């Protein structure tokens, strides 16, 4: 891996992806087809992209398929899944849905919080079936109080990974469809003969899923536009090189477009981490993917201070940011832009991916500057509440009329004036 100095790290920090016009054109064609033909368009896409033969009878996952999935999942794995669900749901539920309504001087203002009626959760199933994404998408929706939660996930060759189905069942989801890619997003957004449209779509996916979510935004709500996974680690000379290398590789194995960056005040550490990465790569099942990701989107940056490191982190706004220093809590106040922050050497990123509680569906590609981690707020709406007494309207009415007339909206002004005349 290449080691950069602060003054020459721009190629790594300003990492950009190629134009996606070809993929966008394909996505738009799929969306239009599904909107026009519904189920049959989805079935055609599944046959073409996932080698899956679907009909109206086998499109939705059956109770028998879920039972078979349970039989295929070892007891110890199921127990671990249940503990993860408990942690994640408890985390999201503790935020609560809090109304905020205040009455002062005859005027009541505020908002009430309501869950959306339905949510579609997308769980990837491409190069690796991610049952953990079922938990991270469904459980904040459940905590928000969403009544209807639909899961869409690819069925490669007609088969969904057993743990994915078990995860959905354990989270209380019974409406599961065998569909992936842009066609799944289209079905959730527009509805088909079999799939009733949803209000919000959430969950990570490949470039086709992300572009499809962008296209249907406005027809439905979405959580964010997430791209390939990424990690940045800020470390001082006290960090364990083997730990840092392992954490970089944990994200590099996701995708050849993944990014893994170490920012450190110690060149010695950077050199040791580079050696560890090379040594650990050999034992990984997805070493070819990880190696290419590190070659094209990975690197080690040596800076003069931890303040410089934090400034770089804010500029990149990484999906995952590990603060692996002697006093990581002292750096947290300086971090403004990140999807999730992991503090200390005993908090590797996978504890957030699977178990701790906070969500792992996070903004990427710098979008942490304006998107936030998936949470229960994505599945709720704040509705304004306003109430005036007669006395309050008479007190404020002249101001309201004056402002309305300044915009030449005389009917607005009259709606207040007519009441003031009635009260005189």
């Amino acid at each position: 891996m290449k080691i950069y100095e602060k003054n020459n790290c721009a190629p790594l920090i300003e990492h950009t992806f190629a134009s996606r016009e070809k993929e966008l054109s394909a996505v738009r064609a799929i969306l239009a087809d599904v909107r026009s033909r519904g189920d049959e368009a989805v079935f055609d896409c599944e046959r073409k992209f996932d080698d899956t033969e679907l009909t109206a009878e086998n499109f939705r996952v059956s109770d028998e398929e879920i039972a078979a999935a349970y039989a295929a999942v070892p007891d110890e794995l199921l127990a671990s899944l249940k503990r993860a669900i408990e942690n994640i749901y408890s985390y999201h539920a503790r935020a609560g849905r809090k109304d905020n309504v205040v009455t002062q001087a005859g005027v009541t203002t505020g908002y009430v919080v309501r869950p959306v009626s339905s949510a579609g959760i997308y769980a990837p199933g491409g190069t690796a079936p991610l049952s953990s994404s079922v938990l991270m998408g469904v459980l904040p929706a459940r905590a928000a109080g969403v009544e209807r939660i639909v899961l869409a996930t690819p069925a490669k060759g007609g088969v969904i990974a057993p743990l994915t189905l078990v995860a959905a069942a354990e989270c209380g989801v019974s409406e599961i469809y065998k569909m992936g890619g842009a066609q799944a997003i289209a079905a959730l957004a527009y509805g088909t003969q079999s799939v009733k449209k949803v209000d919000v779509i959430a969950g990570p996916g490949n470039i086709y899923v992300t572009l499809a979510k962008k296209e249907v935004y406005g027809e439905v709500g979405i959580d964010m536009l997430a791209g390939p996974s990424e990690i940045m680690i800020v470390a001082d000379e006290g960090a364990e090189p083997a730990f840092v290398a392992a954490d970089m590789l944990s994200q590099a194995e996701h995708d050849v477009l993944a990014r893994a960056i170490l920012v450190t005040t110690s060149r010695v550490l950077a050199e040791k981490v580079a050696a560890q990465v090379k040594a650990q790569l050999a034992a990984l099942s997805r070493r070819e993917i990880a190696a290419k990701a590190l070659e094209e989107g990975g690197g080690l940056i040596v800076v003069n201070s931890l303040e410089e490191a934090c400034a770089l982190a804010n500029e990149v706004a990484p999906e995952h940011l590990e603060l692996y220093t002697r006093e990581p809590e002292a750096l947290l106040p300086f971090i403004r832009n990140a999807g999730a922050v992991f503090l200390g050497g005993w908090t590797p990123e996978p504890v957030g991916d699977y178990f701790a509680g906070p969500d792992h569906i996070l903004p990427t590609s710098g979008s942490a500057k304006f998107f936030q981690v998936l949470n229960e707020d994505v599945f709720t709406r704040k509705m304004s509440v306003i109430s005036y007494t007669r006395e309050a309207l008479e007190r404020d009415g002249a101001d309201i009329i004056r402002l309305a007339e300044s915009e030449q909206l005389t009917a607005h002004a009259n709606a207040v004036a007519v009441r003031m005349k009635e009260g005189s």
Side-chain angles (χ1 to χ4, degrees):
M1 292 181 68
K2 185 174 180 180
I3 298 178
Y4 298 82
E5 300 292 340
K6 171 66 169 60
N7 60 2
N8 71 349
C9 69
L12 182 61
I13 296 303
E14 297 171 1
H15 184 82
T16 58
F17 299 108
S19 171
R20 296 298 187 178
E21 288 304 314
K22 181 179 178 182
E23 289 89 343
L24 181 57
S25 178
V27 164
R28 286 174 173 165
I30 291 170
L31 295 178
D33 193 23
V34 173
R35 189 165 204 169
S36 173
R37 297 196 297 128
D39 281 354
E40 288 303 320
V42 175
F43 298 165
D44 286 348
C45 286
E46 289 302 318
R47 185 180 304 109
K48 178 179 180 181
F49 300 123
D50 291 332
D51 191 28
T52 299
E53 292 292 337
L54 294 177
T55 66
E57 288 69 37
N58 69 356
F59 186 18
R60 180 169 172 172
V61 172
S62 66
D63 292 342
E64 291 76 15
E65 287 172 298
I66 293 175
Y70 269 98
V73 173
D75 290 343
E76 286 188 353
L77 180 56
L78 179 58
S80 296
L81 181 75
K82 289 181 181 235
R83 286 191 289 271
I85 289 172
E86 182 180 359
N87 289 348
I88 297 162
Y89 182 76
S90 296
Y91 170 82
H92 286 289
R94 77 189 189 200
R97 303 194 305 277
K98 298 176 183 177
D99 297 345
N100 185 339
V101 180
V102 176
T103 300
Q104 293 177 325
V107 177
T108 300
T109 58
Y111 59 78
V112 292
V113 180
R114 300 287 186 266
V116 299
S117 297
S118 57
I121 306 303
Y122 186 89
T127 59
L130 301 181
S131 57
S132 58
S133 289
V134 176
L135 277 55
M136 297 296 183
V138 170
L139 294 176
R142 263 192 58 200
V146 179
E147 291 185 2
R148 175 177 171 251
I149 302 175
V150 183
L151 179 69
T153 191
K156 296 292 185 180
V159 178
I160 297 174
L163 191 61
T164 296
L165 293 182
V166 170
E170 288 292 323
C171 290
V173 178
S174 58
E175 190 175 347
I176 307 168
Y177 294 95
K178 303 168 185 175
M179 57 181 178
Q183 63 271 22
I185 302 304
L188 293 171
Y190 305 139
T192 71
Q193 293 86 347
S194 299
V195 184
K196 184 179 177 182
K197 79 183 299 280
V198 300
D199 298 319
V200 171
I201 297 174
N206 63 18
I207 186 63
Y208 295 95
V209 170
T210 299
L211 290 175
K213 285 169 68 177
K214 185 176 182 180
E215 288 294 302
V216 301
Y217 177 61
E219 187 83 31
V220 293
I222 64 170
D223 52 349
M224 66 188 77
L225 300 173
S229 191
E230 56 196 17
I231 188 170
M232 175 176 276
I233 303 172
V234 172
D236 58 19
E237 67 281 358
E240 169 55 53
F243 292 1
V244 175
D247 293 356
M248 295 179 74
L249 289 165
S250 74
Q251 294 311 293
E253 74 171 348
H254 268 298
D255 189 305
V256 294
L257 296 177
R259 302 176 69 191
I261 300 171
L262 168 66
V263 183
T264 179
T265 52
S266 170
R267 174 169 281 275
V268 171
L269 176 68
E271 292 171 348
K272 290 182 177 179
V273 168
Q276 276 290 325
V277 165
K278 184 176 181 180
Q280 292 183 31
L281 256 176
L284 300 181
S285 60
R286 294 165 64 88
R287 53 186 170 272
E288 291 84 4
I289 292 173
K292 186 169 182 180
L294 291 174
E295 179 183 350
E296 297 186 4
L300 315 165
I301 303 172
V302 179
V303 295
N304 294 319
S305 67
L306 291 176
E307 288 77 12
E308 282 188 358
C310 289
L312 274 178
N314 286 325
E315 183 180 346
V316 173
E319 177 188 19
H320 307 99
L321 175 63
E322 289 187 6
L323 301 180
Y324 189 176
T325 61
R326 289 188 175 88
E327 297 181 352
E329 294 83 1
L331 297 184
L332 186 58
F334 300 100
I335 301 301
R336 298 189 309 275
N337 304 323
V341 182
F342 300 77
L343 302 178
W346 298 106
T347 317
E349 186 278 336
V351 303
D353 264 358
Y354 295 106
F355 208 77
D359 220 274
H360 81 196
I361 300 175
L362 302 162
T364 65
S365 304
S367 65
K369 294 175 180 178
F370 46 86
F371 278 129
Q372 62 179 323
V373 57
L374 182 64
N375 63 83
E376 59 284 348
D377 289 347
V378 171
F379 303 102
T380 60
R381 298 160 295 117
K382 292 179 178 177
M383 297 191 303
S384 294
V385 175
I386 305 168
S387 176
Y388 262 59
T389 63
R390 176 174 177 172
E391 293 75 18
L393 185 62
E394 289 175 345
R395 183 190 65 231
D396 295 348
D399 289 329
I400 298 168
I401 290 170
R402 195 172 293 118
L403 291 167
E405 289 178 341
S406 76
E407 295 183 346
Q408 300 179 24
L409 298 177
T410 54
H412 281 64
N414 186 60
V416 175
V418 71
R419 286 169 168 78
M420 295 180 69
K421 289 176 184 176
E422 180 69 22
S424 60

